[in-house]
Amino acid sequence: MPIRMENVAIAVRDLEATVAFFTDLGLTVLGRDEVSGEWAETAVGLDGNHVRLAMLQTPDGHGRLELFEYLHPAAIETEPTQPNEIGMHRVAFSVDDLDEALAIAARHGCHPLRGVATYQDVYRLTYVRGPSGIIVMLAQELRPA
């Protein structure tokens, strides 16, 4: 059976702030919608499911993020995810210029968890705490192909 990755969906506290963060990093908005109704309740398994969402895409056209903000039921606040927790870990992006990406993230109040590391002289990378506590890995290849 053929299978392909469609998208990664992330519930966020503030849809507009999160869209601004990811579009400033270079993703584009494919569409926006507000969904609710029986089909949404059935698909998601949540009575009264009603969300605003935005679908974003990476410039290469292969990666997509679906960001959604719950209107009903109310979103449940949780502690920010830690890198060693079971479950959704992070979203990772390759960037051409890590310093530029970090400057963009900083304008959104988003900063590395610790600092920038170099992996075997192949990548400079870091984990950034993004909007709604999302962990975002940014990596710059040091030896482009």
Side-chain angles (χ1 to χ4, degrees):
M1 174 185 83
I3 188 169
R4 68 182 170 93
M5 173 70 87
E6 179 60 32
N7 66 61
V8 173
I10 304 172
V12 300
R13 186 176 300 113
D14 182 335
L15 183 63
E16 296 311 315
T18 309
V19 166
F21 173 79
F22 284 112
T23 56
D24 282 356
L25 283 174
L27 278 72
T28 56
V29 176
L30 292 179
R32 293 173 176 264
D33 204 354
E34 189 169 311
V35 297
S36 63
E38 186 179 339
W39 76 268
E41 293 175 6
T42 300
V44 175
L46 187 61
D47 290 337
N49 185 50
H50 185 184
V51 300
R52 288 186 321 125
L53 66 87
M55 183 69 74
L56 284 69
Q57 180 173 278
T58 57
D60 65 4
H62 296 294
R64 290 186 179 180
L65 283 182
E66 181 178 348
L67 304 173
F68 54 97
E69 179 180 345
Y70 270 91
L71 303 175
H72 187 268
I76 300 169
E77 288 289 337
T78 60
E79 293 296 317
T81 302
Q82 297 302 313
N84 61 332
E85 284 184 38
I86 301 298
M88 180 69 180
H89 181 65
R90 59 154 169 74
V91 178
F93 296 98
S94 295
V95 296
D96 291 337
D97 184 333
L98 182 59
D99 295 324
E100 180 182 356
L102 287 172
I104 291 167
R107 288 196 297 268
H108 291 269
C110 303
H111 304 282
L113 299 184
R114 180 165 293 166
V116 175
T118 301
Y119 173 72
Q120 297 184 355
D121 295 325
V122 177
Y123 290 101
R124 286 181 67 225
L125 59 101
T126 189
Y127 282 16
V128 172
R129 180 70 67 187
S132 296
I134 301 166
I135 297 176
V136 179
M137 186 183 89
L138 301 170
Q140 176 185 343
E141 190 172 359
L142 297 175
R143 295 183 264 174

